[in-house]
Amino acid sequence: MSDGRFWLAGGAGVAAVATLGSLWFSLGLGLVPCTLCWYQRILMYPLVVVLGVAALESHNTIWRTVVPLTVVGASIAGYHSVLQATTASCTFAGPCAVVQWQTPVLGLTIPNLSLIAFVLVTITVLAGSNLVEPERQL
């Protein structure tokens, strides 16, 4: 497996763990996702398939598709994290600022974990992509 495919597969793995984690929070623990959580899910879930196919096909220009999704997702997750840290209410429908769950050791909330996942996916995609177009032979 080439380095690019390795990084893209790693990004697909991170996206898969984030997707399964969000499903575990809602289906396993019974936590109701707020509006901001839904937006983050909408941006994360397709990355599993997109990056998985890109890794299988060694599609190194996939960053053009993935990075806009991860940047928007990271922005929403960052905003959501700030809301939880600074306020007890939210302008969106649902309990966006309510902390429903925290990691036992580090105290990270669900939006914090989402932010970490979006950043990791961005890093893996950029590391595994061919950002410099190869020179064309005439």
Side-chain angles (χ1 to χ4, degrees):
M1 181 182 281
S2 69
D3 284 345
R5 292 176 74 183
F6 172 78
W7 283 105
L8 294 175
V14 171
V17 168
T19 297
L20 292 173
S22 73
L23 292 172
W24 178 72
F25 286 129
S26 60
L27 300 175
L29 295 180
L31 302 177
V32 178
C34 70
T35 303
L36 292 177
C37 290
W38 278 115
Y39 293 148
Q40 292 166 66
R41 286 176 176 210
I42 289 166
L43 293 165
M44 182 63 73
Y45 287 9
L47 294 177
V48 177
V49 175
V50 169
L51 288 171
V53 170
L56 289 174
E57 295 180 353
S58 192
H59 185 53
N60 294 336
T61 58
I62 197 65
W63 67 271
R64 294 177 183 147
T65 301
V66 172
V67 170
L69 296 173
T70 59
V71 167
V72 172
S75 300
I76 293 171
Y79 174 67
H80 198 174
S81 297
V82 168
L83 270 180
Q84 286 188 335
T86 61
T87 185
S89 63
C90 182
T91 59
F92 292 98
C96 295
V98 175
V99 175
Q100 295 184 22
W101 184 87
Q102 285 185 310
T103 58
V105 177
L106 299 175
L108 298 173
T109 64
I110 296 170
N112 300 147
L113 296 173
S114 177
L115 177 60
I116 291 168
F118 278 116
V119 169
L120 286 175
V121 170
T122 303
I123 291 168
T124 59
V125 167
L126 293 177
S129 293
N130 185 7
L131 295 178
V132 179
E133 296 292 327
E135 291 183 26
R136 295 194 177 150
Q137 304 271 333
L138 294 178

